[in-house]
Amino acid sequence: SNPQQLILNSISSLIFLTTSHTEQYIDNSSLVIDSNAIKGVIGFIKNQTISFDNITLTANQHGVVLVYSPELKPLKESKRLVVILMSEIKNKGSYWNANGQFQWGAAPTLIKHIAANIVINTPKKFRVFGLRNNGERGNELPLQKIDKLQSFSVDSGIAPWYELIFD
């Protein structure tokens, strides 16, 4: 099967299958996804301040930012959150042909990651892990604390997926 299609379909499945009520609307030339268990912005997000409940972030590129609860709970109530940050997904050899049809190409798939600064406004302690391509936890990321806010930064070269674990 086609890896680019699988990645895009898994993100679409998250959006449309995580809750019975999901709002989608356009704001500042970006598609906003809003439900209890998943929130996201897709589009022109470079250097924009994006806020979801108690999470605020700024990305360095246009692309996709999604935050969801694997437990399908409201973000503030979840003990685990997954953050997805990516700017481009492309198979080797994919292109638009002269007839306007997209040719999917094949593996390997290029995923461009987005660097971002993410601030969590919570009194809860939490840890952040980069996630590997197979979903396993990778390295723990360092947190910075300013007053009641805790933040972490992700480099564009680490991973597009991060897991937050709350105590």
Side-chain angles (χ1 to χ4, degrees):
S1 73
N2 187 306
Q4 181 179 2
Q5 288 175 317
L6 290 173
I7 292 168
L8 293 173
N9 286 333
S10 67
I11 292 172
S12 298
S13 295
L14 279 174
I15 293 169
F16 294 105
L17 299 176
T18 55
T19 183
S20 61
H21 179 72
T22 302
E23 292 183 40
Q24 304 93 29
Y25 56 91
I26 302 296
D27 185 30
N28 292 326
S29 300
S30 295
L31 174 64
V32 177
I33 308 297
D34 189 8
S35 75
N36 282 337
I38 185 167
K39 299 191 184 286
V41 179
I42 303 163
F44 299 103
I45 61 172
K46 181 178 180 179
N47 299 324
Q48 301 291 321
T49 299
I50 300 166
S51 295
F52 309 119
D53 294 341
N54 60 336
I55 300 169
T56 303
L57 64 89
T58 305
N60 74 337
Q61 296 179 53
H62 299 307
V64 176
V65 173
L66 292 171
V67 178
Y68 76 93
S69 165
E71 304 160 314
L72 303 182
K73 293 181 180 179
L75 299 185
K76 287 183 178 180
E77 296 174 16
S78 185
K79 293 194 180 292
R80 294 177 51 225
L81 295 176
V82 174
V83 177
I84 301 171
L85 303 160
M86 61 179 77
S87 67
E88 185 179 343
I89 304 170
K90 183 178 179 177
N91 279 341
K92 182 176 181 181
S94 63
Y95 65 95
W96 289 95
N97 69 19
N99 296 329
Q101 296 174 321
F102 190 72
Q103 303 301 306
W104 285 99
T109 302
L110 167 71
I111 299 177
K112 289 188 178 178
H113 313 158
I114 294 176
N117 185 49
I118 301 167
V119 178
I120 313 290
N121 185 1
T122 181
K124 299 177 192 174
K125 292 185 178 185
F126 67 94
R127 297 164 62 194
V128 179
F129 297 90
L131 295 176
R132 296 187 178 102
N133 292 344
N134 62 5
E136 292 179 2
R137 289 183 188 150
N139 294 335
E140 184 171 356
L141 280 66
L143 296 174
Q144 295 83 38
K145 188 168 183 174
I146 301 171
D147 297 323
K148 294 180 181 178
L149 302 176
Q150 299 176 76
S151 69
F152 63 98
S153 295
V154 295
D155 186 303
S156 59
I158 298 174
W161 305 282
Y162 301 88
E163 182 180 28
L164 285 67
I165 308 292
F166 293 88
D167 291 340

PDB file of all heavy atoms in Angstrom, residues 92-104:
ATOM      1  N   LYS A  92       8.304   9.513  -2.937  1.00  0.00           N
ATOM      2  CA  LYS A  92       9.267   9.660  -4.017  1.00  0.00           C
ATOM      3  C   LYS A  92       8.526   9.425  -5.335  1.00  0.00           C
ATOM      4  O   LYS A  92       7.781   8.464  -5.485  1.00  0.00           O
ATOM      5  CB  LYS A  92      10.400   8.638  -3.855  1.00  0.00           C
ATOM      6  CG  LYS A  92      11.466   8.769  -4.911  1.00  0.00           C
ATOM      7  CD  LYS A  92      12.592   7.802  -4.654  1.00  0.00           C
ATOM      8  CE  LYS A  92      13.666   7.987  -5.723  1.00  0.00           C
ATOM      9  NZ  LYS A  92      14.760   7.063  -5.537  1.00  0.00           N
ATOM     10  N   GLY A  93       8.712  10.329  -6.265  1.00  0.00           N
ATOM     11  CA  GLY A  93       8.099  10.182  -7.578  1.00  0.00           C
ATOM     12  C   GLY A  93       6.655  10.640  -7.665  1.00  0.00           C
ATOM     13  O   GLY A  93       5.997  10.419  -8.686  1.00  0.00           O
ATOM     14  N   SER A  94       6.110  11.287  -6.646  1.00  0.00           N
ATOM     15  CA  SER A  94       4.733  11.778  -6.756  1.00  0.00           C
ATOM     16  C   SER A  94       4.731  13.125  -7.478  1.00  0.00           C
ATOM     17  O   SER A  94       5.672  13.908  -7.373  1.00  0.00           O
ATOM     18  CB  SER A  94       4.082  11.887  -5.383  1.00  0.00           C
ATOM     19  OG  SER A  94       4.749  12.814  -4.571  1.00  0.00           O
ATOM     20  N   TYR A  95       3.660  13.367  -8.250  1.00  0.00           N
ATOM     21  CA  TYR A  95       3.575  14.615  -9.018  1.00  0.00           C
ATOM     22  C   TYR A  95       2.163  14.765  -9.577  1.00  0.00           C
ATOM     23  O   TYR A  95       1.375  13.824  -9.599  1.00  0.00           O
ATOM     24  CB  TYR A  95       4.588  14.618 -10.166  1.00  0.00           C
ATOM     25  CG  TYR A  95       4.327  13.557 -11.215  1.00  0.00           C
ATOM     26  CD1 TYR A  95       3.599  13.857 -12.364  1.00  0.00           C
ATOM     27  CD2 TYR A  95       4.784  12.253 -11.043  1.00  0.00           C
ATOM     28  CE1 TYR A  95       3.343  12.884 -13.312  1.00  0.00           C
ATOM     29  CE2 TYR A  95       4.529  11.284 -11.982  1.00  0.00           C
ATOM     30  CZ  TYR A  95       3.802  11.596 -13.118  1.00  0.00           C
ATOM     31  OH  TYR A  95       3.539  10.633 -14.051  1.00  0.00           O
ATOM     32  N   TRP A  96       1.855  15.968 -10.043  1.00  0.00           N
ATOM     33  CA  TRP A  96       0.609  16.244 -10.767  1.00  0.00           C
ATOM     34  C   TRP A  96       0.911  16.092 -12.256  1.00  0.00           C
ATOM     35  O   TRP A  96       1.826  16.708 -12.772  1.00  0.00           O
ATOM     36  CB  TRP A  96       0.121  17.668 -10.482  1.00  0.00           C
ATOM     37  CG  TRP A  96      -0.402  17.823  -9.101  1.00  0.00           C
ATOM     38  CD1 TRP A  96       0.276  18.277  -8.011  1.00  0.00           C
ATOM     39  CD2 TRP A  96      -1.715  17.513  -8.652  1.00  0.00           C
ATOM     40  NE1 TRP A  96      -0.532  18.269  -6.908  1.00  0.00           N
ATOM     41  CE2 TRP A  96      -1.772  17.803  -7.275  1.00  0.00           C
ATOM     42  CE3 TRP A  96      -2.861  17.018  -9.271  1.00  0.00           C
ATOM     43  CZ2 TRP A  96      -2.917  17.619  -6.512  1.00  0.00           C
ATOM     44  CZ3 TRP A  96      -4.009  16.836  -8.507  1.00  0.00           C
ATOM     45  CH2 TRP A  96      -4.030  17.131  -7.155  1.00  0.00           C
ATOM     46  N   ASN A  97       0.121  15.277 -12.962  1.00  0.00           N
ATOM     47  CA  ASN A  97       0.370  15.105 -14.396  1.00  0.00           C
ATOM     48  C   ASN A  97      -0.322  16.212 -15.199  1.00  0.00           C
ATOM     49  O   ASN A  97      -1.028  17.062 -14.636  1.00  0.00           O
ATOM     50  CB  ASN A  97      -0.030  13.701 -14.868  1.00  0.00           C
ATOM     51  CG  ASN A  97      -1.526  13.471 -14.857  1.00  0.00           C
ATOM     52  OD1 ASN A  97      -2.331  14.392 -14.831  1.00  0.00           O
ATOM     53  ND2 ASN A  97      -1.909  12.195 -14.869  1.00  0.00           N
ATOM     54  N   ALA A  98      -0.133  16.211 -16.515  1.00  0.00           N
ATOM     55  CA  ALA A  98      -0.664  17.258 -17.390  1.00  0.00           C
ATOM     56  C   ALA A  98      -2.195  17.299 -17.403  1.00  0.00           C
ATOM     57  O   ALA A  98      -2.788  18.320 -17.722  1.00  0.00           O
ATOM     58  CB  ALA A  98      -0.136  17.060 -18.813  1.00  0.00           C
ATOM     59  N   ASN A  99      -2.842  16.183 -17.043  1.00  0.00           N
ATOM     60  CA  ASN A  99      -4.309  16.120 -16.994  1.00  0.00           C
ATOM     61  C   ASN A  99      -4.868  16.569 -15.648  1.00  0.00           C
ATOM     62  O   ASN A  99      -6.065  16.459 -15.412  1.00  0.00           O
ATOM     63  CB  ASN A  99      -4.789  14.695 -17.284  1.00  0.00           C
ATOM     64  CG  ASN A  99      -4.429  14.255 -18.680  1.00  0.00           C
ATOM     65  OD1 ASN A  99      -4.368  15.078 -19.590  1.00  0.00           O
ATOM     66  ND2 ASN A  99      -4.160  12.966 -18.847  1.00  0.00           N
ATOM     67  N   GLY A 100      -3.996  17.028 -14.746  1.00  0.00           N
ATOM     68  CA  GLY A 100      -4.456  17.483 -13.433  1.00  0.00           C
ATOM     69  C   GLY A 100      -4.723  16.359 -12.451  1.00  0.00           C
ATOM     70  O   GLY A 100      -5.384  16.566 -11.433  1.00  0.00           O
ATOM     71  N   GLN A 101      -4.217  15.172 -12.744  1.00  0.00           N
ATOM     72  CA  GLN A 101      -4.385  14.034 -11.843  1.00  0.00           C
ATOM     73  C   GLN A 101      -3.107  13.845 -11.037  1.00  0.00           C
ATOM     74  O   GLN A 101      -2.002  13.971 -11.568  1.00  0.00           O
ATOM     75  CB  GLN A 101      -4.703  12.761 -12.623  1.00  0.00           C
ATOM     76  CG  GLN A 101      -6.019  12.844 -13.351  1.00  0.00           C
ATOM     77  CD  GLN A 101      -6.231  11.625 -14.241  1.00  0.00           C
ATOM     78  OE1 GLN A 101      -5.300  11.129 -14.875  1.00  0.00           O
ATOM     79  NE2 GLN A 101      -7.467  11.155 -14.296  1.00  0.00           N
ATOM     80  N   PHE A 102      -3.276  13.488  -9.765  1.00  0.00           N
ATOM     81  CA  PHE A 102      -2.113  13.291  -8.905  1.00  0.00           C
ATOM     82  C   PHE A 102      -1.609  11.863  -9.036  1.00  0.00           C
ATOM     83  O   PHE A 102      -2.384  10.908  -8.936  1.00  0.00           O
ATOM     84  CB  PHE A 102      -2.470  13.596  -7.443  1.00  0.00           C
ATOM     85  CG  PHE A 102      -1.268  13.648  -6.550  1.00  0.00           C
ATOM     86  CD1 PHE A 102      -0.387  14.713  -6.619  1.00  0.00           C
ATOM     87  CD2 PHE A 102      -1.008  12.632  -5.647  1.00  0.00           C
ATOM     88  CE1 PHE A 102       0.731  14.771  -5.808  1.00  0.00           C
ATOM     89  CE2 PHE A 102       0.103  12.676  -4.828  1.00  0.00           C
ATOM     90  CZ  PHE A 102       0.976  13.757  -4.908  1.00  0.00           C
ATOM     91  N   GLN A 103      -0.319  11.719  -9.271  1.00  0.00           N
ATOM     92  CA  GLN A 103       0.339  10.413  -9.320  1.00  0.00           C
ATOM     93  C   GLN A 103       1.028  10.209  -7.973  1.00  0.00           C
ATOM     94  O   GLN A 103       1.888  11.002  -7.585  1.00  0.00           O
ATOM     95  CB  GLN A 103       1.356  10.374 -10.471  1.00  0.00           C
ATOM     96  CG  GLN A 103       0.744  10.686 -11.824  1.00  0.00           C
ATOM     97  CD  GLN A 103      -0.372   9.719 -12.185  1.00  0.00           C
ATOM     98  OE1 GLN A 103      -0.193   8.505 -12.177  1.00  0.00           O
ATOM     99  NE2 GLN A 103      -1.553  10.261 -12.484  1.00  0.00           N
ATOM    100  N   TRP A 104       0.638   9.175  -7.237  1.00  0.00           N
ATOM    101  CA  TRP A 104       1.058   8.996  -5.849  1.00  0.00           C
ATOM    102  C   TRP A 104       2.525   8.613  -5.682  1.00  0.00           C
ATOM    103  O   TRP A 104       3.087   8.796  -4.613  1.00  0.00           O
ATOM    104  CB  TRP A 104       0.164   7.960  -5.170  1.00  0.00           C
ATOM    105  CG  TRP A 104      -1.182   8.528  -4.860  1.00  0.00           C
ATOM    106  CD1 TRP A 104      -2.328   8.360  -5.586  1.00  0.00           C
ATOM    107  CD2 TRP A 104      -1.514   9.385  -3.788  1.00  0.00           C
ATOM    108  NE1 TRP A 104      -3.357   9.058  -5.019  1.00  0.00           N
ATOM    109  CE2 TRP A 104      -2.886   9.688  -3.897  1.00  0.00           C
ATOM    110  CE3 TRP A 104      -0.807   9.924  -2.718  1.00  0.00           C
ATOM    111  CZ2 TRP A 104      -3.556  10.510  -2.995  1.00  0.00           C
ATOM    112  CZ3 TRP A 104      -1.476  10.742  -1.819  1.00  0.00           C
ATOM    113  CH2 TRP A 104      -2.830  11.026  -1.956  1.00  0.00           C
TER     114      TRP A 104
END
